[in-house]
């Protein structure tokens, strides 16, 4: 069985790492985005995206505003753009649109709903009233199906974690642990595999694996917010997770990949090697688990990284979710995990290729691809992380 589909990938361009080139790309992406926000606040969608530009974190303006604020805050760009002035109107748009277009209108969605806009408002101007709105949005998922990071409780747990980081208030640890209990109640043993969530998603119940829709996505807030859990509980979670990662991997020689969905009776094709499905996302999400606990797990993460390198840059663009930048985060995570400079070199090689992809796309379509998760702003943050030799996946590892 082939571990990936080469038609989904490009050969890697051999371009030497140049931090000045990376900074120029960051500046150009940010400058054009800010110029558009100042002149045409309703940003244009992109032909490569299969959904109209909206108000959300994934495809829409919430992600754009978050990215500009983040790049300004960390000093990646020289800008004083006032993100706050755009938040009220964007939140109103989201509250009007989300119930009409969402498959789960009663669910609080981290990637598509109001929650990230409320978080950004609180971050920029903390108040008790805004904190209450955030908490109310989080608690919507207490009585909803667990699902995953895009629509479900994994996303609202991240929100609780960020609120705890900012406030250090015990109530947010309580909220986080309450939702962790709900999440872990749905984590069930599967014979010969380990422990998986069966996700009720888009009309079917399947055991998804990746960091947006499945197993890895539900582990993400538990990993990111592990300091809010009892140490023994986290160690038990890590042991179960590592066992499952090893058992669900498909390994050939020095390479490993994971299907989008685990199905013992009908094995899935292994054609995807991108953040949302396949080895890059599994490595990126799970690399923060401790080393030296499970040697098979340590080895298989490296094998997933090797497959990501072997497959090469993605044809879908330079973006995070299913593009070259997102795949590069697997290398950055492995660099942080192992200290091996090989992985940083590989991340930077993907960065230089992704810059060329962004430039060609900009020339071909005559515009940026604005969304954070599927477009050029996500690439800008990836380039910054390559410059800083760090691995902070946007809106997951930090907000």
């Amino acid at each position: 069985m082939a571990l990936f589909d080469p038609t989904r990938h490009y050969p890697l361009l051999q371009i030497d790492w140049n931090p000045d080139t990376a900074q120029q790309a960051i500046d150009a992406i940010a400058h054009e985005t800010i110029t558009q926000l100042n002149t045409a606040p309703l940003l244009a969608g992109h032909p490569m995206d299969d959904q109209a530009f909206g108000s959300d974190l994934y495809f829409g303006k919430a992600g754009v505003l978050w990215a500009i604020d983040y790049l300004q805050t960390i000093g990646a760009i020289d800008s004083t753009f006032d993100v706050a002035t755009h938040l009220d109107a964007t939140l109103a748009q989201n509250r009007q649109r989300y119930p009409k277009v969402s498959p789960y209108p009663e669910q609080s969605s981290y990637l598509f709903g109001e929650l990230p806009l409320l978080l950004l408002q609180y971050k920029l101007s903390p108040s008790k009233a805004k904190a209450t709105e955030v908490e109310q949005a989080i608690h919507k998922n207490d009585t909803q199906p667990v699902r995953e990071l895009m629509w479900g409780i994994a996303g609202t747990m991240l929100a609780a974690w960020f609120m705890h980081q900012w406030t250090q208030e015990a109530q947010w640890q309580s909220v986080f642990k309450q939702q962790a209990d709900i999440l872990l109640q749905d984590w069930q043993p599967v014979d010969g595999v380990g422990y998986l969530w069966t996700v009720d998603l888009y009309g079917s119940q399947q055991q998804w694996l990746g960091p947006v829709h499945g197993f890895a996505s539900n582990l993400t807030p538990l990993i990111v917010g592990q300091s809010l859990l009892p140490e023994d509980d986290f160690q038990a979670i890590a042991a179960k997770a590592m066992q499952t990662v090893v058992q669900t991997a498909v390994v050939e020689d020095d390479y490993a990949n994971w299907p989008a969905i685990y199905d013992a009776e009908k094995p899935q094709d292994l054609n995807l090697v991108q953040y949302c499905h396949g080895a890059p996302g599994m490595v990126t999400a799970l690399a923060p688990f401790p080393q030296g606990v499970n040697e098979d797990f340590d080895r298989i993460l490296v094998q997933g990284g090797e497959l990501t390198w072997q497959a090469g840059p993605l044809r879908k663009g330079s973006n995070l979710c299913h593009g070259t930048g997102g795949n590069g985060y697997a290398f950055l995570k492995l660099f942080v995990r192992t200290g091996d400079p090989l992985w940083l070199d590989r991340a930077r090689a993907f960065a230089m290729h992704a810059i060329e992809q962004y430039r060609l796309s900009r020339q071909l379509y005559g515009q940026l691809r604005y969304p954070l998760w599927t477009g050029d702003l996500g690439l800008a943050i990836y380039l910054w992380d390559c410059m800083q030799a760090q691995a902070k996946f946007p809106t997951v590892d930090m907000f």
Side-chain angles (χ1 to χ4, degrees):
M1 178 185 292
L3 292 186
F4 72 97
D5 179 358
T7 66
R8 293 177 175 267
H9 299 264
Y10 287 123
L12 178 68
L13 296 173
Q14 300 300 315
I15 307 173
D16 291 340
W17 167 248
N18 186 328
D20 291 336
T21 301
Q23 184 64 60
Q24 289 164 8
I26 294 169
D27 290 340
I29 291 167
H31 175 75
E32 182 168 345
T33 302
I34 290 170
T35 299
Q36 286 298 311
L37 286 169
N38 283 329
T39 57
L42 296 177
L43 297 173
H46 195 277
M48 292 181 71
D49 287 324
D50 58 3
Q51 181 169 325
F53 191 85
S55 56
D56 53 82
L57 190 66
Y58 183 83
F59 267 129
K61 194 169 177 180
V64 171
L65 296 174
W66 179 88
I68 295 300
D69 176 70
Y70 177 71
L71 290 168
Q72 290 180 162
T73 300
I74 62 176
I77 59 174
D78 183 11
S79 167
T80 57
F81 179 78
D82 190 355
V83 166
T85 61
H86 290 257
L87 292 177
D88 284 346
T90 308
L91 179 60
Q93 181 189 6
N94 186 275
R95 284 174 166 168
Q96 180 181 31
R97 187 171 187 269
Y98 179 77
K100 298 177 182 177
V101 301
S102 172
Y104 310 111
E106 302 301 319
Q107 197 112 27
S108 183
S109 170
Y110 183 59
L111 293 187
F112 283 100
E114 68 178 8
L115 184 54
L117 287 159
L118 296 173
L119 283 173
L120 192 50
Q121 286 183 323
Y122 182 86
K123 181 181 180 183
L124 296 179
S125 183
S127 71
K128 185 175 181 180
K130 190 57 61 176
T132 298
E133 286 189 78
V134 171
E135 186 169 9
Q136 289 171 344
I138 290 172
H139 279 306
K140 287 181 181 179
N141 282 348
D142 292 350
T143 57
Q144 297 296 314
V146 163
R147 303 200 200 281
E148 29 68 293
L149 180 65
M150 180 171 280
W151 301 106
I153 208 166
T156 47
M157 286 175 64
L158 281 179
W161 159 249
F162 295 132
M163 289 296 293
H164 184 268
Q165 277 194 305
W166 298 332
T167 68
Q168 295 300 304
E169 293 174 358
Q171 75 177 90
W172 298 108
Q173 180 174 15
S174 177
V175 172
F176 182 91
K177 291 175 68 176
Q178 177 186 350
Q179 293 204 328
D181 288 343
I182 297 169
L183 181 68
L184 292 169
Q185 286 170 11
D186 266 20
W187 198 22
Q188 299 298 323
V190 178
D191 290 343
V193 175
Y195 295 79
L196 289 171
W197 282 271
T198 300
V199 182
D200 181 352
L201 189 65
Y202 307 143
S204 64
Q205 293 195 347
Q206 296 175 301
Q207 292 170 331
W208 294 80
L209 293 180
V212 177
H213 292 306
F215 164 82
S217 80
N218 285 342
L219 287 168
T220 292
L222 299 169
I223 296 171
V224 172
Q226 62 184 273
S227 64
L228 301 186
L229 300 171
E231 177 63 24
D232 289 348
D233 289 358
F234 181 74
Q235 289 179 2
I237 289 167
K240 291 177 181 178
M242 291 179 187
Q243 173 193 354
T244 308
V245 169
V246 172
Q247 295 288 72
T248 54
V250 180
V251 179
E252 290 184 7
D253 301 323
D254 294 327
Y255 308 109
N257 199 9
W258 288 261
I261 299 168
Y262 173 76
D263 189 333
E265 297 181 0
K266 185 181 178 182
Q268 303 292 301
D269 292 335
L270 291 164
N271 58 350
L272 297 179
V273 182
Q274 54 199 46
Y275 176 79
C276 50
H277 301 298
M282 297 293 281
V283 172
T284 299
L286 304 173
F289 273 132
Q291 287 196 85
V293 175
N294 183 319
E295 292 183 359
D296 291 334
F297 176 79
D298 294 344
R299 182 184 67 254
I300 215 132
L301 284 189
V302 170
Q303 290 173 319
E306 291 291 351
L307 180 78
T308 304
W309 178 251
Q310 177 71 16
L314 280 155
R315 289 179 176 268
K316 288 184 175 181
S318 60
N319 63 86
L320 297 178
C321 190
H322 37 257
T324 303
N327 280 21
Y329 265 105
F331 305 142
L332 289 177
K333 289 284 188 175
L334 285 170
F335 169 67
V336 171
R337 179 179 175 84
T338 67
D340 187 342
L342 168 71
W343 296 113
L344 180 58
D345 290 343
R346 289 178 170 182
R348 288 171 169 173
F350 266 41
M352 298 306 290
H353 187 109
I355 290 170
E356 290 301 305
Q357 286 183 279
Y358 139 72
R359 288 174 172 171
L360 287 171
S361 174
R362 175 67 184 82
Q363 182 178 8
L364 177 63
Y365 294 105
Q367 68 168 86
L368 287 184
R369 194 176 183 181
Y370 294 106
L372 170 63
W373 275 69
T374 68
D376 297 320
L377 284 165
L379 170 64
I381 295 170
Y382 172 65
L383 296 176
W384 179 258
D385 277 5
C386 284
M387 292 170 64
Q388 304 304 313
Q390 64 187 20
K392 298 180 180 180
F393 196 90
T395 67
V396 172
D397 292 322
M398 78 305 187
F399 193 95

